[in-house]
Amino acid sequence: MLYTETINDQQKRLARYAKAMGHPVRMYVLELLSKQSCCYSGDLGEQLSIAKSTLSQHLKELKDAGLIQGEIEAPKIKYCINKANWAEAQTLFKNLFEK
């Protein structure tokens, strides 16, 4: 049996979420956004005291994984938790750790 035949879609999604969560800055962003409705990227940059380009890369990783979503409100970008995917990630991790 091939490796690709043994990996299911849930495992692939869980791995993608885990990869996106694999940095302390991203975990901070997720924690912050899970406690409030939304946040502007500029505000995040001030709180974290990191370069805009570095923050942008972290936000892109979270957005590509589907954990957050961004909405352009020129000249700012507002980020929020993607509630459906956040709930799915929580469920997938919970199921993994309960096994």
Side-chain angles (χ1 to χ4, degrees):
M1 183 162 30
L2 297 174
Y3 142 80
T4 55
E5 294 172 356
T6 60
I7 305 299
N8 64 40
D9 286 339
Q10 281 188 339
Q11 291 163 329
K12 290 176 186 176
R13 288 193 310 276
L14 183 60
R16 183 65 185 114
Y17 293 144
K19 180 182 179 220
M21 294 173 158
H23 193 282
V25 168
R26 294 182 211 142
M27 293 305 299
Y28 175 84
V29 170
L30 288 171
E31 209 172 312
L32 181 74
L33 292 178
S34 70
K35 294 176 184 174
Q36 60 190 52
S37 59
C38 295
C39 190
Y40 290 96
S41 58
D43 296 337
L44 287 169
E46 288 175 14
Q47 290 179 13
L48 290 166
S49 298
I50 60 175
K52 287 181 183 182
S53 60
T54 302
L55 177 60
S56 180
Q57 290 173 341
H58 288 302
L59 293 170
K60 181 182 182 328
E61 186 70 31
L62 291 169
K63 191 173 178 186
D64 288 350
L67 291 171
I68 65 171
Q69 51 199 24
E71 184 178 308
I72 297 173
E73 292 184 0
K76 299 179 181 180
I77 301 175
K78 179 171 69 172
Y79 288 96
C80 307
I81 285 284
N82 180 319
K83 292 182 182 183
N85 289 348
W86 182 241
E88 179 188 46
Q90 289 174 325
T91 299
L92 290 171
F93 279 106
K94 181 180 176 201
N95 292 342
L96 173 69
F97 293 127
E98 287 181 346
K99 290 182 181 181

